[in-house]
Amino acid sequence: MDQDSAYTREQIREFDIVGKSVPRVEGYDKVTGRAEFTDDIDLHGMTYAKVYCSPVAHGIIKKIDAGKAENYPGVLAVMTGKDCPKPYSVNNLLPTETALAVEKVVYFGEGIVAVAAINEQIASEALELVDVDIEELEPIVTAQEAENSPDNLIHDFAKNNTNHTAEQHFGDVDDALAKADVVVEETFYTSSVNGGFIEPQSVVADYDPGKDKITVYNCNQLPHMLQHTISKTIDMPVDDIRVIIPNVGGGFGGKSEATPSVLTACFLSRKIGRPVKLTYGRDESLYQNKGRHACHLSLKLGFNKDGTIQALDLSVLLDGGAHSGWGFVVLWFIAALTHLPYKVRNIRYDGRRVYTNKPTPGAQRSFGGVQARTAVESCFDMAAEKLGINPYELRMINAVETGYKCPSVVEVRHAEFKKCLESVAERSDFVNKWGKLPRGRGIGMAAGHYSSGGAFLLYNSSRAHSTANIRVDTEAGATVFCGVTDIGQGSTTVMSQIACEVFGIPMRKVNFICQDTLLSPMDNGTMDSRATYGAGHAVKNAALDARQKIFAVAAAHLGVRAEQLQCKEERISSIYDDNRFIGFWEAVSLHQDVKGTIFGTGDYTPPQPRGDYDGKIIGPSPAFGFTAQIAEVDVNLRTGQVKVLKYYEATDCGKAVNPASVEGQVEGGVAMGLGQALIEEIVVDRKGRVLNPNLHDYKIPTTMDMPEMDTVIVDGYDPTSAYGGKEVGEAPTGPVCAAIMNAVYDAVGVRLTELPITPEKVFRAMRGQHSRGLELETTTIGFANAKIRSV
Amino acid sequence: MKQVVQLNINDSPYEVMVAPNETLADVVRRKLGMTGTKLGCEQGDCGACTILIDGRSHLSCITLAVASEGKEIVTIEGLEKDGKLDPIQQAILEKQGVQCGICTPGVIMSAKGLLNENPEPSHAEIVVGMSGNLCRCTGYEKIFDAVEAVAAGEYDDEKTSQAGAE
């Protein structure tokens, strides 16, 4: 039976709390300083750990002498890699990471020795007494070097330093390109950037010797996956590990896997039987990275004269850094993201990910999207010029619509993508401005999409992806237990809104208990833009389950069939006669009198379409969010400096459950893309040393870098979603680099193909000097606009 | 040599034993338990540790505790009075200038410092005045909205806040 068949207001999509810009439920705590983040935690008997970081990127550890540190007054324990040598990785795919380096160091800043002491100062002083002897090996610092150094292997099992490969072919690309009227071809380089969350990773591990259990407080996006990583690495049963996620000071994907510090702190805490806190400095946070993969792309697109796209042929080489991380998924995701948002039927992909002696990239907002969009959207503009079709028209000709089926098994069940394109084009007057602005001024368009949670997830995909339990009683109101993690995107607020909507009660009557593996049921966590759609379904289903039980009591009391009841403003009434009603809490109380406290449960797993091709588990999603964007830029003709003057964006996130939060996601997402486009890059020298491990030289956008923003949420409602909403967290970041690159082309007639677009690169390009390959011979430093010779 | 310093924080006197190299941020967070002041970089780059000293915004992670004696220090904990939010706190909350919240105390203290010096800043002055605070979540738009609303007097009556709800 459709539990919701009588929910008539929902059928006409008229809601009380869904669709309202309710302030963040935890907002009061955040504006008053009450909100507790991991590093704010203070436990009885707390001790503090510090880590000795490798000064070289590649080498054999010959000797570690930590005797003096061990005997230093106030030091409680010293640990080296051999104490906790079990390797781990995301979902155990090619596990090579360890709590501390074992025998070999593979990236600059890798932990070698850890010390726990009664305070941080003593821990730091003790580290000074540690003597480590490392025999340096030749570091591999570019992806090309990695492939061409058969005798210099970072991990012995990885021939030619290859981590993963991926190949896909749909249709017949060679044939389609041969028949195409216009073919464009270009190579691109997207740089390595960092999540840049303002809260460096922090952990408190609290081993309880009495129970032989451990509680771990950590700013992490995936508490249930973290539990498994800890279990495997420190040899404790999963159910003896409780993970609690305090407030998370930004994640953006970078906090979706275990940092070595978590395992180090767990090991030390178990060793000394006291809580251990380990908070990274900004430098360590950048050494651990887990940001966006640097990527070399080579793309060919074929079009017919009428502008219809015929073929897409892409090969990529990902610089994977020292470990696997989320690399396997990023590699396949780039492939999957080329199937949309345009109707292309012949698609070929050839991807490789290699190991280098650099900080390991992982997941970062618009995971795989920045790389794919930068290449595809740039080539779209190149094709538009050759075809003599306006770039906006070319995108409209090829844009997907509701019901589109990709050549893979991916299906778009809802899309308002064309509305997005129309909205930005109209607001910016794109058609009239493009190609007609004075030299130095330009306008550029790009577009994209993102999935609302994978149909298959790397981890625990066979179980329900989200589960929620709800308890309703007069003692605590409605209390939702759900594993979804709020990393600042607002999931706690959105989930509470969904529960309130089902019950027809105000926000203050809902408690949301999440981010604790003891209290919250299993959830796949905050990744892949899945929270609103996936966990939102689970919360709604749980609330409907509880409501049905309340309705049964109310129905008997009112003499109205349960199917004809509705909840609004804390009243349960007949949909036909509003005067036949009972107070919501009165009905709850009646239920408690007769049957006790009300419990509801619900879960959600997306439809899982079965394909028969390599990489089939990556790409399918129950819903896709879409975005269209336009940048207006000014290029300084003397210096090459690019200034973004105005930024237009239109989002299709279905129904915006909380419009102000959606706008916040879009504005923040665009800001992150803008940083990568113009100023951000992790700079590594020939020795593999990170040259900008701080927020002074690793620049993220400030207020001064932001253009005026004009964003619109286009009207939409995805009927497959809990309340019509779908993802918005990632799509907006993807096309930003391309929109700016296309605008620079419009302004000065040079096509930049390497990120970030520093003044130097623009300057050289304007003078006809080839800038490509700079990152191979030398290191470009975006922040200083200067070039540093290789060491 | 450690020494005892008298600090006036949020209108209360505190006597603390500090080392000469100890920062004000470390003292308020670790010794006094006021963890509302955040640390994002500890090098004066991100602004999360911003506090007010004699009404002006300062980076507490690069301010020495020993140099703060005899000054009027206000941390994020000192803005709310008797459960009533300061207008800028209320505005940041209502305009959704807060997402993850780690930069928020610093953003609020910087805005407070800016408004102390210039109660009616123009948009351009707000952009410059807030440029020392990194926020990775918001893209700054909603922070601008909040500061502008306070400057425009939208929060003059200092409405009391009832948690975040409704």
Side-chain angles (χ1 to χ4, degrees):
Chain A
M1 180 189 118
D2 180 0
Q3 289 186 337
D4 213 16
S5 58
Y7 202 51
T8 54
R9 288 188 306 117
E10 184 167 334
Q11 282 154 12
I12 55 170
R13 296 169 191 175
E14 180 195 290
F15 307 116
D16 290 328
I17 293 173
V18 164
K20 303 281 188 303
S21 293
V22 177
R24 297 296 172 94
V25 294
E26 77 292 358
Y28 192 93
D29 289 349
K30 286 178 175 173
V31 300
T32 55
R34 285 183 174 85
E36 192 171 62
F37 292 78
T38 308
D39 189 56
D40 301 336
I41 293 170
D42 190 15
L43 299 180
H44 181 73
M46 186 76 98
T47 70
Y48 302 84
K50 290 274 178 192
V51 178
Y52 177 100
C53 296
S54 174
V56 304
H58 198 194
I60 308 283
I61 301 171
K62 287 289 178 195
K63 194 189 78 182
I64 299 173
D65 181 0
K68 281 185 201 158
E70 220 155 358
N71 295 324
Y72 194 68
V75 169
L76 301 167
V78 172
M79 167 190 176
T80 67
K82 285 182 180 154
D83 291 321
C84 187
K86 277 204 176 172
Y88 66 93
S89 71
V90 171
N91 209 39
N92 221 14
L93 278 171
L94 300 179
T96 49
E97 243 179 311
T98 45
L100 296 167
V102 182
E103 290 171 8
K104 197 177 174 191
V105 292
V106 290
Y107 63 99
F108 180 75
E110 181 172 9
I112 297 176
V113 181
V115 166
I118 56 168
N119 64 41
E120 281 186 298
Q121 196 182 338
I122 289 174
S124 297
E125 287 166 4
L127 280 186
E128 304 268 320
L129 306 173
V130 170
D131 192 14
V132 178
D133 184 11
I134 302 174
E135 180 191 320
E136 267 192 81
L137 299 172
E138 180 67 22
I140 291 174
V141 296
T142 70
Q144 287 80 357
E145 268 173 44
E147 291 201 307
N148 297 314
S149 307
D151 302 324
N152 188 2
L153 298 182
I154 295 172
H155 301 292
D156 289 338
F157 65 85
K159 250 182 142 179
N160 296 319
N161 292 303
T162 302
N163 169 236
H164 286 292
T165 58
E167 278 180 41
Q168 271 183 345
H169 194 170
F170 296 94
D172 188 339
V173 168
D174 289 326
D175 182 57
L177 284 173
K179 288 178 184 158
D181 296 319
V182 163
V183 173
V184 290
E185 184 173 5
E186 189 53 89
T187 61
F188 298 88
Y189 173 72
T190 60
S191 49
S192 173
V193 298
N194 180 263
F197 26 77
I198 306 300
E199 177 204 29
Q201 295 93 331
S202 179
V203 56
V204 175
D206 184 17
Y207 176 71
D208 179 345
K211 295 198 179 100
D212 188 23
K213 291 186 180 192
I214 195 164
T215 302
V216 182
Y217 305 83
N218 178 225
C219 46
N220 193 288
Q221 302 177 216
L222 311 175
H224 290 94
M225 188 166 93
L226 184 65
Q227 228 184 345
H228 284 267
T229 306
I230 295 169
S231 164
K232 178 176 183 286
T233 314
I234 68 165
D235 273 325
M236 273 181 93
V238 170
D239 60 344
D240 285 346
I241 299 160
R242 177 182 184 184
V243 173
I244 297 176
I245 312 289
N247 285 285
V248 179
F252 315 112
K255 289 176 179 167
S256 59
E257 54 187 295
T259 47
S261 58
V262 173
L263 308 157
T264 301
C266 287
F267 178 87
L268 286 169
S269 178
R270 192 160 58 161
K271 189 168 178 184
I272 63 179
R274 287 170 66 171
V276 174
K277 184 190 284 188
L278 205 176
T279 300
Y280 280 149
R282 178 57 58 179
D283 50 351
E284 293 169 293
S285 181
L286 277 147
Y287 301 152
Q288 294 305 329
N289 190 21
K290 308 291 155 77
R292 200 180 309 289
H293 283 70
C295 182
H296 300 266
L297 304 99
S298 178
L299 177 67
K300 240 186 234 183
L301 295 184
F303 289 84
N304 275 359
K305 267 188 217 141
D306 63 2
T308 51
I309 185 167
Q310 302 301 313
L312 185 154
D313 192 3
L314 175 66
S315 65
V316 309
L317 175 60
L318 284 177
D319 184 338
H323 296 292
S324 292
W326 282 96
F328 171 81
V329 189
V330 174
L331 186 65
W332 282 109
F333 231 108
I334 295 174
L337 287 166
T338 60
H339 288 236
L340 293 171
Y342 306 114
K343 294 181 235 171
V344 54
R345 308 304 301 175
N346 301 295
I347 305 174
R348 183 163 57 198
Y349 181 75
D350 172 9
R352 284 142 24 239
R353 183 181 188 272
V354 294
Y355 292 112
T356 56
N357 292 113
K358 297 204 301 208
T360 307
Q364 188 174 331
R365 191 177 207 167
S366 192
F367 183 115
V370 170
Q371 293 93 337
R373 297 267 58 84
T374 298
V376 173
E377 298 296 318
S378 294
C379 282
F380 249 73
D381 266 37
M382 291 164 62
E385 193 181 3
K386 273 194 166 182
L387 289 159
I389 300 175
N390 184 284
Y392 160 66
E393 293 295 341
L394 188 63
R395 287 178 173 85
M396 283 296 282
I397 290 167
N398 294 292
V400 299
E401 291 151 326
T402 298
Y404 177 73
K405 289 191 173 78
C406 296
S408 62
V409 293
V410 171
E411 186 183 346
V412 179
R413 302 196 293 173
H414 173 262
E416 304 290 0
F417 179 44
K418 284 189 171 173
K419 275 192 203 166
C420 296
L421 291 166
E422 284 163 359
S423 168
V424 284
E426 192 187 309
R427 281 183 281 136
S428 64
D429 197 18
F430 181 81
V431 174
N432 289 321
K433 282 185 185 165
W434 182 75
K436 298 180 189 112
L437 294 171
R439 184 167 161 79
R441 288 289 289 271
I443 189 164
M445 177 180 243
H449 69 291
Y450 214 81
S451 64
S452 301
F456 305 92
L457 298 168
L458 257 196
Y459 120 89
N460 264 337
S461 195
S462 55
R463 292 187 179 177
H465 287 194
S466 276
T467 304
N469 294 329
I470 295 188
R471 160 189 155 195
V472 189
D473 55 28
T474 53
E475 285 62 44
T479 307
V480 185
F481 301 86
C482 176
V484 72
T485 306
D486 198 330
I487 57 171
Q489 86 281 33
S491 58
T492 296
T493 306
V494 162
M495 297 303 136
S496 302
Q497 284 179 265
I498 288 173
C500 286
E501 193 64 49
V502 174
F503 293 131
I505 58 175
M507 287 289 278
R508 58 180 296 119
K509 291 288 189 187
V510 168
N511 309 298
F512 196 74
I513 311 291
C514 58
Q515 313 185 182
D516 181 336
T517 57
L518 184 71
L519 302 176
S520 321
M522 163 71 207
D523 187 277
N524 265 290
T526 295
M527 59 166 172
D528 201 2
S529 277
R530 56 176 299 283
T532 299
Y533 194 96
H537 261 296
V539 169
K540 186 180 177 191
N541 290 342
L544 288 174
D545 186 32
R547 195 181 72 178
Q548 200 177 27
K549 295 170 186 171
I550 302 166
F551 274 9
V553 174
H557 178 82
L558 295 172
V560 173
R561 281 168 57 189
E563 291 78 10
Q564 294 171 1
L565 291 175
Q566 63 180 353
C567 279
K568 198 176 170 161
E569 290 164 7
E570 297 186 273
R571 288 161 93 241
I572 297 170
S573 63
S574 161
I575 55 175
Y576 300 115
D577 179 3
D578 196 45
N579 290 322
R580 296 181 81 167
F581 74 93
I582 178 173
F584 180 83
W585 299 107
E586 201 186 333
V588 168
S589 183
L590 276 179
H591 188 287
Q592 285 185 263
D593 292 342
V594 182
K595 292 181 173 173
T597 297
I598 298 142
F599 291 98
T601 186
D603 60 35
Y604 180 73
T605 305
Q608 301 187 317
R610 295 200 159 273
D612 184 20
Y613 50 90
D614 287 342
K616 59 182 177 281
I617 65 162
I618 294 168
S621 170
F624 294 91
F626 293 89
T627 178
Q629 311 185 353
I630 285 173
E632 268 194 65
V633 303
D634 177 79
V635 180
N636 186 316
L637 298 173
R638 281 193 311 123
T639 64
Q641 179 88 41
V642 176
K643 172 91 186 151
V644 182
L645 303 172
K646 179 128 191 192
Y647 210 89
Y648 301 89
E649 198 274 353
T651 281
D652 163 25
C653 64
K655 169 87 180 171
V657 178
N658 188 317
S661 289
V662 167
E663 287 163 18
Q665 287 296 300
V666 171
E667 289 155 1
V670 168
M672 186 173 278
L674 185 134
Q676 173 153 21
L678 299 176
I679 52 178
E680 290 182 40
E681 182 173 29
I682 295 176
V683 183
V684 172
D685 72 3
R686 281 291 329 157
K687 292 266 192 186
R689 295 176 296 206
V690 179
L691 295 182
N692 54 349
N694 54 66
L695 291 175
H696 193 75
D697 297 326
Y698 183 87
K699 291 212 180 294
I700 70 172
T702 71
T703 54
M704 307 279 284
D705 298 300
M706 292 309 296
E708 185 189 341
M709 285 213 248
D710 179 355
T711 64
V712 162
I713 304 166
V714 303
D715 193 32
Y717 189 95
D718 182 344
T720 70
S721 165
Y723 277 108
K726 48 188 190 176
E727 90 89 32
V728 69
E730 302 198 65
T733 305
V736 183
C737 295
I740 294 173
M741 289 155 101
N742 286 341
V744 169
Y745 182 81
D746 187 49
V748 291
V750 294
R751 180 149 297 282
L752 277 293
T753 56
E754 269 180 29
L755 295 173
I757 313 168
T758 57
E760 181 196 1
K761 287 179 191 164
V762 178
F763 180 87
R764 281 168 170 267
M766 287 193 295
R767 270 149 192 76
Q769 294 168 353
H770 203 46
S771 69
R772 177 155 314 126
L774 272 181
E775 93 279 5
L776 297 181
E777 297 152 23
T778 57
T779 306
T780 49
I781 299 198
F783 56 87
N785 310 330
K787 207 163 68 167
I788 289 191
R789 283 273 152 224
S790 309
V791 182
Chain B
M1 271 298 268
K2 286 197 172 180
Q3 64 185 90
V4 173
V5 296
Q6 313 277 345
L7 297 175
N8 177 352
I9 304 175
N10 303 332
D11 286 333
S12 297
Y14 293 89
E15 202 174 80
V16 211
M17 179 78 101
V18 302
N21 63 351
E22 237 170 307
T23 66
L24 192 51
D26 278 345
V27 169
V28 298
R29 281 181 59 79
R30 296 186 179 136
K31 295 216 159 122
L32 303 177
M34 296 184 209
T35 54
T37 298
K38 303 300 178 192
L39 292 172
C41 69
E42 300 185 68
Q43 293 176 318
D45 291 322
C46 76
C49 67
T50 306
I51 56 165
L52 297 182
I53 298 180
D54 293 338
R56 301 187 58 152
S57 56
H58 279 73
L59 298 168
S60 65
C61 79
I62 51 169
T63 300
L64 292 176
V66 290
S68 309
E69 252 188 322
K71 295 179 178 167
E72 204 176 292
I73 299 161
V74 180
T75 68
I76 187 71
E77 288 89 351
L79 285 194
E80 183 193 7
K81 297 269 191 291
D82 301 326
K84 231 171 121 179
L85 293 180
D86 185 272
I88 185 65
Q89 290 176 302
Q90 188 73 35
I92 291 274
L93 174 63
E94 285 180 12
K95 304 279 181 195
Q96 295 213 15
V98 54
Q99 286 189 30
C100 82
I102 193 81
C103 76
T104 307
V107 163
I108 288 173
M109 298 314 281
S110 276
K112 190 75 190 158
L114 169 68
L115 293 164
N116 281 349
E117 284 179 53
N118 179 1
E120 287 174 32
S122 65
H123 181 78
E125 286 168 335
I126 294 170
V127 169
V128 174
M130 299 303 295
S131 62
N133 292 79
L134 297 178
C135 170
R136 190 62 149 172
C137 293
T138 63
Y140 306 106
E141 284 285 304
K142 306 230 174 308
I143 293 172
F144 296 153
D145 291 349
V147 181
E148 274 167 359
V150 173
E154 230 180 89
Y155 289 85
D156 275 356
D157 53 348
E158 298 196 10
K159 296 178 276 186
T160 31
S161 158
Q162 293 300 321
E166 280 102 53

